[in-house]
Amino acid sequence: MQIKANRLNVFQKSVFTELKELKEEYTKRTGNKVIDFSIGSPNIAPKKSIMETLQNAVMVDENWKYAINELPELKEAVKEWYKNRYEADLEDDEIIALQGSQEALSTIFMATCNPGDVVLIPDPYYPIFCDGPRLAGADIEFMPLLEENDYLIQLDKIDPEILKRTKIMIVSYPNNPTCAIAPDSFYEELIQFAKKNNIIILHDNAYSELLFDGRIGKSFLSFEGAKEVGIELNSFSKTYGMAGARLGVCVGNKDVLEAYRILKSNMDYGIFLPVQYAGIEALKNGGDSIVPTRMAYEHRRDILVKYFKEAGWNIPLSPATMFSWCRIPDHYEDSYTFTKDLLEKTGVVVTPGQSFGKEGIRYVRLALVQDEKDIMEAACRIKESGLFQ
């Protein structure tokens, strides 16, 4: 009897599972501490009022029933957030609350794509960008993000024959893993491109508050005509430190959201009400925690670049996100080989870039989730190892 469904063949062993096994083996064998830059799990807690709102709401008996729909207060808070922060107007039927933006990235393609429809994916990519479409039976085509093009999608390089079959294009700036940001001109061109080719844009905007050096993040919906061609996912995880209390939003084109709402209504019973109340508190009163969070990541970036350079590893200053995207030494065959050698010789763990797609083969990603002391310790170990000499 075959237990595993064929559709599970789209999945491979998670790179983070592999890295966890390598870390455990290294620690057991050497007894040394691992300094882990691999997993991008935010380690900056939410503002106290957000945690207290969640805590208090948990103690209310009424809040343990099925939520079914979003709280009206949550939708109003999202509308105010998008208006005040992004200068984008939203209506109630242009908002769906999510159990984290990954929920939509996993399932929305089942509501929008038929087998054989093409979903265009940037490469490198966040892994769920591929897994969600494949589970829906869609075909995947990649759009290379190249360093010489500032990691921007080259719309004019997309095959016209592929465009004829394309249903959705996934776009994500600030970008994970490359850390790239896109200029306004890119979005203006993207909207016209989508209209011309009858393509839905799915914009993942998880890092719009984590731009550095005075840059200001925008929304896809900040641009005229965006709602006509697409939707945006936004997350409470990075902006408000609510990674474990799963909450996000899908906003934009009402026809896309109507299809997705039908699917969701048959799949779940809504988001735990205390989490919704915590989200409302975040949107209304959590804004003053954003700048300190951004400054913390920017400081870690600066420390990492400074001390790793002294160790011989030249890492560019990331313009955004909570990551650094770094080239590996030329003499290594690929980023997996380098990652394993780096762990073996230093006890420092990074994520191999090729786990994000073939365009990442000469890169690794470092998550800025370690404090200054551990960043400096990692740099010291790398310098002593001689890997970059």
Side-chain angles (χ1 to χ4, degrees):
M1 178 180 179
Q2 180 179 340
I3 301 297
K4 190 174 74 171
N6 290 337
R7 69 176 60 88
L8 288 184
N9 292 332
V10 306
F11 296 109
Q12 297 178 345
K13 191 175 187 180
S14 165
V15 64
F16 298 112
T17 300
E18 292 185 41
L19 291 174
K20 181 174 182 291
E21 293 171 355
L22 288 172
K23 287 185 293 184
E24 290 174 347
E25 190 278 331
Y26 171 85
T27 301
K28 182 178 180 180
R29 177 166 46 83
T30 67
N32 295 333
K33 172 187 173 182
V34 167
I35 303 176
D36 191 351
F37 294 95
S38 64
I39 300 179
S41 179
N43 64 338
I44 299 174
K47 184 179 178 180
K48 291 296 184 185
S49 67
I50 298 172
M51 292 192 284
E52 289 168 355
T53 297
L54 177 59
Q55 181 182 39
N56 293 335
V58 163
M59 300 307 296
V60 177
D61 293 352
E62 188 73 5
N63 288 342
W64 287 84
K65 65 183 181 181
Y66 290 135
I68 305 296
N69 298 314
E70 302 91 347
L71 290 166
E73 303 96 312
L74 179 59
K75 283 196 170 185
E76 285 302 313
V78 170
K79 285 191 280 188
E80 291 179 14
W81 178 33
Y82 261 79
K83 180 65 174 178
N84 296 334
R85 174 62 183 82
Y86 300 120
E87 299 183 351
D89 294 310
L90 293 171
E91 303 297 334
D92 281 357
D93 59 358
E94 296 172 337
I95 303 169
I96 292 178
L98 306 167
Q99 298 182 61
S101 56
Q102 184 129 332
E103 179 192 4
L105 291 167
S106 303
T107 59
I108 196 169
F109 305 97
M110 288 190 281
T112 53
C113 291
N114 293 312
D117 285 342
V118 168
V119 178
L120 291 171
I121 309 291
D123 180 8
Y125 53 84
Y126 185 51
I128 195 64
F129 287 0
C130 280
D131 296 338
R134 284 173 173 157
L135 283 172
D139 294 336
I140 299 296
E141 295 288 346
F142 293 106
M143 304 176 292
L145 305 183
L146 304 179
E147 186 173 356
E148 57 263 35
N149 296 325
D150 298 322
Y151 302 109
L152 290 176
I153 297 168
Q154 302 299 293
L155 299 174
D156 60 346
K157 301 296 184 183
I158 301 173
D159 187 335
E161 292 303 312
I162 290 175
L163 286 173
K164 292 177 182 178
R165 298 173 47 223
T166 298
K167 188 72 173 287
I168 295 177
M169 178 192 292
I170 299 180
V171 179
S172 182
Y173 294 105
N175 183 262
N176 175 15
T178 70
C179 311
I181 55 178
D184 290 359
S185 59
F186 170 81
Y187 288 105
E188 293 163 355
E189 181 183 356
L190 176 67
I191 291 166
Q192 295 307 311
F193 184 85
K195 288 181 178 179
K196 177 182 177 181
N197 293 285
N198 196 28
I199 294 172
I200 299 167
I201 302 299
L202 188 161
H203 186 252
D204 184 20
N205 198 26
Y207 298 97
S208 67
E209 298 299 347
L210 295 184
L211 277 75
F212 306 137
D213 306 311
R215 299 178 177 92
I216 304 297
K218 290 188 177 182
S219 161
F220 171 62
L221 302 184
S222 300
F223 297 90
E224 185 177 354
K227 280 198 297 187
E228 299 173 32
V229 298
I231 59 172
E232 177 167 275
L233 305 180
N234 217 318
S235 170
F236 289 64
S237 297
K238 314 304 188 299
T239 301
Y240 297 108
M242 292 176 59
R246 305 300 296 147
L247 187 62
V249 292
C250 180
V251 295
N253 186 277
K254 63 180 62 179
D255 294 328
V256 176
L257 266 64
E258 180 181 3
Y260 189 41
R261 192 174 284 109
I262 293 170
L263 179 70
K264 276 183 57 65
S265 70
N266 286 278
M267 291 181 67
D268 65 60
Y269 290 99
I271 298 161
F272 189 38
L273 288 170
V275 172
Q276 293 195 49
Y277 284 117
I280 294 167
E281 172 63 21
L283 293 175
K284 288 185 172 295
N285 300 308
D288 57 356
S289 67
I290 295 174
V291 171
T293 297
R294 181 189 305 126
M295 291 177 64
Y297 285 122
E298 185 171 342
H299 177 68
R300 293 175 185 178
R301 177 205 65 170
D302 294 344
I303 293 296
L304 184 140
V305 168
K306 176 183 177 182
Y307 286 98
F308 277 45
K309 183 176 182 179
E310 292 180 2
W313 194 355
N314 290 313
I315 294 176
L317 281 170
S318 303
T321 76
M322 53 183 291
F323 305 107
S324 287
W325 184 241
C326 321
R327 275 195 169 271
I328 63 172
D330 292 339
H331 61 274
Y332 279 94
E333 178 182 354
D334 56 41
S335 59
Y336 273 117
T337 305
F338 171 75
T339 296
K340 292 175 181 178
D341 203 26
L342 181 69
L343 172 60
E344 181 63 30
K345 294 181 177 179
T346 70
V348 173
V349 183
V350 299
T351 305
Q354 65 205 87
S355 64
F356 302 105
K358 70 174 186 177
E359 295 297 340
I361 193 168
R362 305 303 309 168
Y363 301 84
V364 292
R365 191 194 73 176
L366 281 72
L368 302 172
V369 294
Q370 299 294 342
D371 61 23
E372 183 173 337
K373 178 182 177 181
D374 282 338
I375 292 172
M376 294 172 68
E377 171 63 22
C380 183
R381 293 186 189 182
I382 291 170
K383 185 175 184 177
E384 290 175 352
S385 74
L387 278 171
F388 289 88
Q389 294 177 3

